[in-house]
Amino acid sequence: MTEEINQQRRRFISAAAMTIAAARLGVVGSEQVQAEETSPQALPAIRPETNTSFGALKQIDAGVLNVGYAEAGSASGTPVVLLHGWPYSIHSFVDVAPLLTAKGYRVIVPFLRGYGATRFLSSETFRNGQPASLASDIVALMDGLKIEKAVLAGFDWGARTANIVAALWPERCKAMVSVSGYLIGSQAAGRVPLPPQAELQWWYQFYFATDRGRAGYEKYRRDFAKLIWQLASPKWNFDTATFDRSADSFENPDHVQIVIHNYRWRLGLADGEPQYDGLERKLAAGPVITVPTITLEGDANGAPHSEPSAYAKKFSGKYSHRTLKGGIGHNLPQEAPKAFADAIVEVDGY
């Protein structure tokens, strides 16, 4: 890793900036929580990147999408839906899934809109990346698969999506595992200026707000994603093959448009769709999540995130938090798959 990247990483993990960044996420409150620190090395561990493939993927029409997804385990098992983030893919869970199927779970791992094998059913549909649309996709997918209720677990965009489903449709969410805690935000929160050091963490958001940024991401999306991986997980020594398996999913024809719209929407620079206005009003109020939840954090997460104490009171059901030691970064399920799977099994028993 270059000295330039190391310098950027040091800025990214500034404790002050992480605390301030909570405002961008729409998080309020300062309730203290005793964070349980767990070392992945102390657990019966699977070596990350033991698995490289889910095998043949499935496709299903759900809502406005034809969703590409991996499925494993018994059809009669408790459903678990695993949700990836940006710029990642379903391969973040390639080692998590077999651990869960060994426990009897039915595991569903969908590509979000704009990734991998997921496609819009109509060329006329607006390529919307606002968070409420992604959450609605997951509800539609569960409907299509005839899943009434599932355990939801994710990180980055996936954690935000799981949070929204749990907040707006708690009857569909049996329990939740959320990396980096409570991620529900709003356009109003996104418009609030932050001190410069906190804004630095969101540099790509401002880059994407420009035509140059859109063109740059279109042209250099793989290089861009690799840089984000390095900054967000500075101690994760992923190899080229591991990166390429996820980066292939960015060749989706809608990927750039979905990513750019997502970040521009957050800043209030792009409109969403009217059918989500009611949902967004509910989300802007910062709803408390009532379903049983475990939040996770890596001790080397270089991406913007809040301290656990900032979001603890946003969970009113049975709740616990743990911070994973050992240099675990932002892509927590791929870097510490056993700890992630264990959290799912535990929260399912709450």
Side-chain angles (χ1 to χ4, degrees):
M1 187 176 298
T2 66
E3 178 60 26
E4 178 183 358
I5 289 176
N6 283 331
Q7 290 173 355
Q8 292 178 15
R9 177 172 63 83
R10 285 193 289 270
R11 295 190 188 101
F12 266 53
I13 62 176
S14 163
M18 287 177 184
T19 301
I20 296 169
R24 178 72 76 202
L25 300 174
V27 175
V28 295
S30 59
E31 178 180 343
Q32 296 299 312
V33 60
Q34 295 297 318
E36 175 188 349
E37 292 190 343
T38 305
S39 172
Q41 289 86 346
L43 298 168
I46 181 173
R47 184 177 64 83
E49 300 166 34
T50 295
N51 299 285
T52 60
S53 174
F54 286 103
L57 299 181
K58 299 182 178 182
Q59 302 286 146
I60 188 172
D61 288 350
V64 299
L65 301 173
N66 177 258
V67 178
Y69 67 100
E71 181 170 7
S74 170
S76 62
T78 298
V80 177
V81 180
L82 304 177
L83 301 170
H84 68 83
W86 171 85
Y88 304 93
S89 79
I90 64 173
H91 287 89
S92 291
F93 303 104
V94 74
D95 288 319
V96 173
L99 294 172
L100 294 175
T101 58
K103 292 285 189 178
Y105 289 96
R106 177 189 181 189
V107 180
I108 308 293
V109 194
F111 282 111
L112 301 183
R113 56 169 62 191
Y115 294 80
T118 293
R119 297 289 189 274
F120 284 87
L121 293 172
S122 171
S123 61
E124 302 301 316
T125 302
F126 176 55
R127 271 41 178 177
N128 184 357
Q130 74 182 109
S133 69
L134 274 71
S136 297
D137 291 343
I138 300 308
V139 174
L141 174 63
M142 291 173 63
D143 288 344
L145 294 173
K146 296 180 170 45
I147 295 173
E148 186 63 31
K149 181 177 286 193
V151 177
L152 302 182
F155 72 106
D156 196 85
W157 285 22
R160 187 184 301 267
T161 299
N163 284 188
I164 294 173
V165 174
L168 298 183
W169 297 281
E171 71 280 2
R172 307 301 299 271
C173 184
K174 182 180 182 185
M176 179 174 66
V177 172
S178 178
V179 176
S180 298
Y182 184 89
L183 298 176
I184 294 174
S186 67
Q187 286 186 320
R191 293 189 185 101
V192 176
L194 304 177
Q197 192 168 7
E199 297 283 26
L200 176 63
Q201 298 185 75
W202 296 97
W203 63 272
Y204 52 87
Q205 189 168 237
F206 301 110
Y207 181 63
F208 289 160
T210 68
D211 290 340
R212 177 189 175 100
R214 190 196 191 288
Y217 189 60
E218 177 78 59
K219 183 176 182 179
Y220 298 111
R221 70 185 80 173
R222 293 177 86 99
D223 291 336
F224 198 101
K226 184 172 286 187
L227 175 62
I228 295 295
W229 280 37
Q230 291 168 335
L231 295 174
S233 297
K235 296 186 178 182
W236 181 33
N237 295 316
F238 58 88
D239 59 24
T240 298
T242 297
F243 173 76
D244 285 345
R245 280 189 288 273
S246 282
D248 287 346
S249 73
F250 311 150
E251 300 305 317
N252 182 296
D254 303 307
H255 178 74
V256 173
Q257 193 167 348
I258 293 297
V259 171
I260 297 300
H261 183 264
N262 178 282
Y263 287 106
R264 289 183 179 180
W265 182 90
R266 294 193 201 186
L267 293 177
L269 300 177
D271 293 331
E273 293 181 276
Q275 64 262 39
Y276 301 113
D277 287 350
L279 300 181
E280 294 296 353
R281 283 192 292 271
K282 293 179 181 178
L283 296 172
V288 170
I289 292 174
T290 61
V291 305
T293 299
I294 291 176
T295 57
L296 300 175
E297 190 58 82
D299 66 345
N301 183 3
H305 63 280
S306 300
E307 291 299 320
S309 59
Y311 52 71
K313 75 174 188 178
K314 303 302 290 186
F315 301 97
S316 65
K318 187 170 182 181
Y319 168 74
S320 64
H321 172 83
R322 64 201 49 157
T323 295
L324 305 182
K325 294 182 178 179
I328 305 303
H330 190 57
N331 187 2
L332 191 150
Q334 196 161 8
E335 297 175 61
K338 184 64 167 64
F340 190 83
D342 280 350
I344 291 171
V345 174
E346 181 178 338
V347 80
D348 182 38
Y350 276 9

